[in-house]
PDB file of all heavy atoms in Angstrom:
ATOM      1  N   GLN I 708      -1.218 -59.337 -21.920  1.00  0.00           N
ATOM      2  CA  GLN I 708      -0.552 -60.047 -20.820  1.00  0.00           C
ATOM      3  C   GLN I 708       0.540 -59.194 -20.198  1.00  0.00           C
ATOM      4  O   GLN I 708       1.303 -58.528 -20.917  1.00  0.00           O
ATOM      5  CB  GLN I 708       0.107 -61.322 -21.376  1.00  0.00           C
ATOM      6  CG  GLN I 708      -0.852 -62.491 -21.522  1.00  0.00           C
ATOM      7  CD  GLN I 708      -1.313 -63.021 -20.171  1.00  0.00           C
ATOM      8  OE1 GLN I 708      -0.558 -63.003 -19.210  1.00  0.00           O
ATOM      9  NE2 GLN I 708      -2.558 -63.469 -20.109  1.00  0.00           N
ATOM     10  N   GLY I 831     -17.016  -7.777  -2.529  1.00  0.00           N
ATOM     11  CA  GLY I 831     -18.285  -7.846  -3.255  1.00  0.00           C
ATOM     12  C   GLY I 831     -19.357  -8.536  -2.456  1.00  0.00           C
ATOM     13  O   GLY I 831     -19.069  -9.323  -1.555  1.00  0.00           O
ATOM     14  N   LEU I 883     -13.643 -22.193   1.352  1.00  0.00           N
ATOM     15  CA  LEU I 883     -12.836 -22.901   2.340  1.00  0.00           C
ATOM     16  C   LEU I 883     -12.457 -22.016   3.514  1.00  0.00           C
ATOM     17  O   LEU I 883     -11.947 -20.915   3.332  1.00  0.00           O
ATOM     18  CB  LEU I 883     -11.555 -23.410   1.657  1.00  0.00           C
ATOM     19  CG  LEU I 883     -10.681 -24.329   2.496  1.00  0.00           C
ATOM     20  CD1 LEU I 883     -11.363 -25.661   2.742  1.00  0.00           C
ATOM     21  CD2 LEU I 883      -9.339 -24.563   1.800  1.00  0.00           C
ATOM     22  N   TYR I 942      -9.134 -36.043   1.742  1.00  0.00           N
ATOM     23  CA  TYR I 942      -9.400 -37.385   2.287  1.00  0.00           C
ATOM     24  C   TYR I 942      -9.289 -37.386   3.800  1.00  0.00           C
ATOM     25  O   TYR I 942      -8.486 -36.646   4.362  1.00  0.00           O
ATOM     26  CB  TYR I 942      -8.378 -38.382   1.735  1.00  0.00           C
ATOM     27  CG  TYR I 942      -8.608 -38.750   0.292  1.00  0.00           C
ATOM     28  CD1 TYR I 942      -8.141 -37.950  -0.739  1.00  0.00           C
ATOM     29  CD2 TYR I 942      -9.307 -39.904  -0.048  1.00  0.00           C
ATOM     30  CE1 TYR I 942      -8.357 -38.276  -2.072  1.00  0.00           C
ATOM     31  CE2 TYR I 942      -9.525 -40.247  -1.375  1.00  0.00           C
ATOM     32  CZ  TYR I 942      -9.048 -39.433  -2.376  1.00  0.00           C
ATOM     33  OH  TYR I 942      -9.277 -39.764  -3.686  1.00  0.00           O
ATOM     34  N   LYS I 944      -9.357 -40.399   7.183  1.00  0.00           N
ATOM     35  CA  LYS I 944      -9.252 -41.846   7.430  1.00  0.00           C
ATOM     36  C   LYS I 944     -10.503 -42.360   8.118  1.00  0.00           C
ATOM     37  O   LYS I 944     -10.889 -41.857   9.173  1.00  0.00           O
ATOM     38  CB  LYS I 944      -8.035 -42.144   8.292  1.00  0.00           C
ATOM     39  CG  LYS I 944      -6.774 -42.072   7.492  1.00  0.00           C
ATOM     40  CD  LYS I 944      -5.636 -42.760   8.192  1.00  0.00           C
ATOM     41  CE  LYS I 944      -4.496 -42.922   7.210  1.00  0.00           C
ATOM     42  NZ  LYS I 944      -3.213 -42.829   7.812  1.00  0.00           N
ATOM     43  N   VAL I 953     -23.222 -60.132   0.848  1.00  0.00           N
ATOM     44  CA  VAL I 953     -24.559 -59.855   0.314  1.00  0.00           C
ATOM     45  C   VAL I 953     -24.861 -60.848  -0.813  1.00  0.00           C
ATOM     46  O   VAL I 953     -25.959 -61.380  -0.920  1.00  0.00           O
ATOM     47  CB  VAL I 953     -24.645 -58.391  -0.176  1.00  0.00           C
ATOM     48  CG1 VAL I 953     -25.946 -58.126  -0.911  1.00  0.00           C
ATOM     49  CG2 VAL I 953     -24.517 -57.440   1.006  1.00  0.00           C
ATOM     50  N   GLY I 986       2.798 -49.635  -1.734  1.00  0.00           N
ATOM     51  CA  GLY I 986       3.460 -48.329  -1.692  1.00  0.00           C
ATOM     52  C   GLY I 986       2.917 -47.310  -2.681  1.00  0.00           C
ATOM     53  O   GLY I 986       3.342 -46.163  -2.686  1.00  0.00           O
ATOM     54  N   ILE I1021     -16.303 -57.677  -5.270  1.00  0.00           N
ATOM     55  CA  ILE I1021     -14.873 -57.991  -5.231  1.00  0.00           C
ATOM     56  C   ILE I1021     -14.509 -58.738  -6.514  1.00  0.00           C
ATOM     57  O   ILE I1021     -15.083 -59.792  -6.812  1.00  0.00           O
ATOM     58  CB  ILE I1021     -14.524 -58.871  -4.001  1.00  0.00           C
ATOM     59  CG1 ILE I1021     -15.124 -58.277  -2.709  1.00  0.00           C
ATOM     60  CG2 ILE I1021     -13.011 -59.074  -3.877  1.00  0.00           C
ATOM     61  CD1 ILE I1021     -14.647 -56.893  -2.325  1.00  0.00           C
ATOM     62  N   ALA I1079     -37.304 -41.674  -2.698  1.00  0.00           N
ATOM     63  CA  ALA I1079     -38.506 -41.523  -3.522  1.00  0.00           C
ATOM     64  C   ALA I1079     -39.740 -42.024  -2.776  1.00  0.00           C
ATOM     65  O   ALA I1079     -40.789 -41.377  -2.789  1.00  0.00           O
ATOM     66  CB  ALA I1079     -38.329 -42.291  -4.831  1.00  0.00           C
ATOM     67  N   LYS I1115     -47.083 -50.691  -2.822  1.00  0.00           N
ATOM     68  CA  LYS I1115     -47.648 -51.030  -4.134  1.00  0.00           C
ATOM     69  C   LYS I1115     -47.195 -50.071  -5.238  1.00  0.00           C
ATOM     70  O   LYS I1115     -47.391 -50.336  -6.425  1.00  0.00           O
ATOM     71  CB  LYS I1115     -49.190 -51.064  -4.069  1.00  0.00           C
ATOM     72  CG  LYS I1115     -49.728 -52.162  -3.189  1.00  0.00           C
ATOM     73  CD  LYS I1115     -49.319 -53.548  -3.707  1.00  0.00           C
ATOM     74  CE  LYS I1115     -49.552 -54.643  -2.676  1.00  0.00           C
ATOM     75  NZ  LYS I1115     -48.517 -55.656  -2.566  1.00  0.00           N
ATOM     76  N   CYS I1158     -33.467 -43.103 -14.301  1.00  0.00           N
ATOM     77  CA  CYS I1158     -32.074 -43.134 -13.837  1.00  0.00           C
ATOM     78  C   CYS I1158     -31.444 -44.416 -14.352  1.00  0.00           C
ATOM     79  O   CYS I1158     -32.064 -45.482 -14.274  1.00  0.00           O
ATOM     80  CB  CYS I1158     -32.013 -43.140 -12.317  1.00  0.00           C
ATOM     81  SG  CYS I1158     -32.685 -41.640 -11.600  1.00  0.00           S
TER      82      CYS I1158
END
Side-chain angles (χ1 to χ4, degrees):
Q708 278 292 326
L883 188 68
Y942 286 83
K944 283 198 167 146
V953 172
I1021 311 299
K1115 294 298 166 221
C1158 296

